[in-house]
Amino acid sequence: MSAPLVSVVIPMYNDRPTIDLCLRSVREQSYPHIEVIVVDDASTDGCADIAATHPVQLVRVKENGGPGSSRNAGVRRSRGEIVFFLDADLTMHPEAVAQAVALFDENPTYGAVFGIPDKEPLFEEGLVGQYRILQYHYWRKSAEGLVSGGFYALGAVRRAAFMEAGWFNTALRQTEEIDHAERLAARWPMLLTSRIRGRLSDEDRMRPLLRKAFVRSRLRVPFYFDRGRAMQGMETGGRAVASALGGLAVAAVPFALLHPAALLVSLAALLGSVAADFGQYRFSLRERGFFFTAFFTGAHALVSTAVVTGLAAGLVQYAASRRFRHMYQPRESLA
């Protein structure tokens, strides 16, 4: 049986710092039967000119449509039996595509196989970036196995499975992955595996990271109501408790100025948050030591506060807005 063609689809928006490294990593793949489609989503930083120096199909979009729209455009231009989605701020290990093909060959029922970025970042990062990469790696590594959530930044999907699930919903700008993966998982098993690996460059400033956590948490509220459950794998009950306690720990700090007992409440909530998701703190301590883990703990408490605040805002919006309540419901065409 001939080896299948793999279409690597890369959505790109203002990714000048990383796109060259990303495309070099695709060229260095050990698997030979690859086509590469880069969809430039109306970038303004010249990254399309860099992509054009590589042997790729470059699709230029005049108006920014978001990652779901870009991935749809890439799939339409692709010919492969397997579509490997790769974000432009990631690089792949040389065996990534070969491992995806092997996994599909070993498991004919799998519809998608998603990879796990390394615990080391793509570039040297500050403390916020180090926290984010380490936490991102641990949560995915700890969820390794069959999942209902998709990680389309680094993962492969059978074309047949993608077509059954349908196109990415282009109305969703930041939660298009969970929507598409839920539709795909309803028909095909999906695997999260460290056999597919890469390196990621992520947010290195706290304010944008908190904003992203807030927005994504808010937008998940109607998804949870529609599906009646969290995503299998990463979103555990313990982590929900940890987020709530982390948010309480931060919220109680200002009240310590009024009454010292509030500081005890904050400390108790923080300790409870750590205990509820202890594995990630133990992992951080083993990898980076005590002082970094102290920073990791504080940073994660702030992110937890943004998540809880986002959920609260989402609940209010869910009650007030019919459009928000129905944002994940099926439509006649999602393309």
Side-chain angles (χ1 to χ4, degrees):
M1 189 169 107
S2 61
L5 176 66
V6 176
S7 301
V8 179
V9 172
I10 304 173
M12 179 178 66
Y13 178 67
N14 288 349
D15 288 298
R16 186 181 183 89
T18 57
I19 187 60
D20 186 64
L21 289 173
C22 174
L23 292 175
R24 285 178 186 273
S25 77
V26 178
R27 290 175 62 183
E28 292 168 358
Q29 291 299 298
S30 62
Y31 189 80
H33 305 293
I34 294 176
E35 65 171 2
V36 187
I37 300 102
V38 178
V39 181
D40 176 45
D41 196 15
S43 297
T44 58
D45 68 347
C47 58
D49 295 333
I50 297 174
T53 66
H54 292 264
V56 303
Q57 296 182 51
L58 179 59
V59 181
R60 296 176 185 260
V61 177
K62 293 182 179 180
E63 293 185 9
N64 182 269
S69 178
S70 294
R71 291 189 183 109
N72 286 346
V75 173
R76 289 191 184 95
R77 293 287 292 268
S78 70
R79 299 176 293 115
E81 180 183 331
I82 296 169
V83 179
F84 197 116
F85 293 104
L86 177 67
D87 277 4
D89 58 359
L90 265 155
T91 61
M92 294 192 288
H93 283 228
E95 297 295 322
V97 172
Q99 287 291 342
V101 173
L103 282 163
F104 282 135
D105 186 55
E106 295 163 14
N107 304 276
T109 64
Y110 285 176
V113 289
F114 299 109
I116 299 174
D118 292 347
K119 59 189 176 185
E120 299 86 9
L122 179 57
F123 300 122
E124 186 174 336
E125 301 275 5
L127 287 174
V128 173
Q130 292 177 51
Y131 150 74
R132 180 60 174 160
I133 296 294
L134 203 65
Q135 186 262 336
Y136 191 102
H137 168 83
Y138 176 79
W139 274 32
R140 280 151 182 77
K141 179 66 177 174
S142 65
E144 195 165 2
L146 294 177
V147 293
S148 66
F151 307 101
Y152 293 84
L154 178 70
V157 182
R158 292 185 193 272
R159 177 177 290 276
F162 183 91
M163 291 305 175
E164 279 192 33
W167 301 96
F168 285 97
N169 185 343
T170 57
L172 304 175
R173 287 294 188 120
Q174 298 200 47
T175 52
E176 80 290 338
E177 289 182 320
I178 63 170
D179 172 71
H180 191 272
E182 186 74 12
R183 287 185 271 127
L184 200 157
R187 298 166 172 83
W188 298 73
M190 305 191 308
L191 183 73
L192 177 62
T193 173
S194 55
R195 285 176 60 177
I196 301 172
R197 296 169 56 204
R199 286 207 173 181
L200 170 67
S201 174
D202 207 338
E203 188 57 64
D204 193 29
R205 295 174 298 156
M206 183 56 74
R207 181 175 292 181
L209 179 58
L210 295 178
R211 185 186 307 116
K212 185 185 296 185
F214 172 86
V215 171
R216 290 182 175 178
S217 178
R218 178 178 62 83
L219 294 177
R220 274 172 159 77
V221 168
F223 175 85
Y224 294 145
F225 273 106
D226 280 356
R227 298 336 191 248
R229 63 182 176 91
M231 291 187 295
Q232 174 188 347
M234 289 200 314
E235 295 182 343
T236 65
R239 285 178 180 155
V241 171
S243 292
L245 289 173
L248 176 60
V250 173
V253 169
F255 293 97
L257 298 174
L258 302 175
H259 199 291
L263 195 58
L264 294 177
V265 171
S266 177
L267 180 59
L270 183 62
L271 292 174
S273 177
V274 170
D277 196 10
F278 185 67
Q280 70 173 342
Y281 300 98
R282 181 175 54 199
F283 177 71
S284 174
L285 187 63
R286 184 174 70 243
E287 292 293 326
R288 305 290 172 84
F290 175 79
F291 291 106
F292 177 81
T293 301
F295 174 83
F296 184 105
T297 304
H300 198 64
L302 289 174
V303 171
S304 295
T305 304
V307 168
V308 172
T309 306
L311 287 173
L315 287 171
V316 172
Q317 190 171 2
Y318 187 87
S321 170
R322 184 178 183 278
R323 181 176 182 181
F324 187 72
R325 288 195 296 273
H326 296 291
M327 65 185 294
Y328 293 100
Q329 292 189 0
R331 303 176 186 184
E332 292 184 3
S333 174
L334 298 176

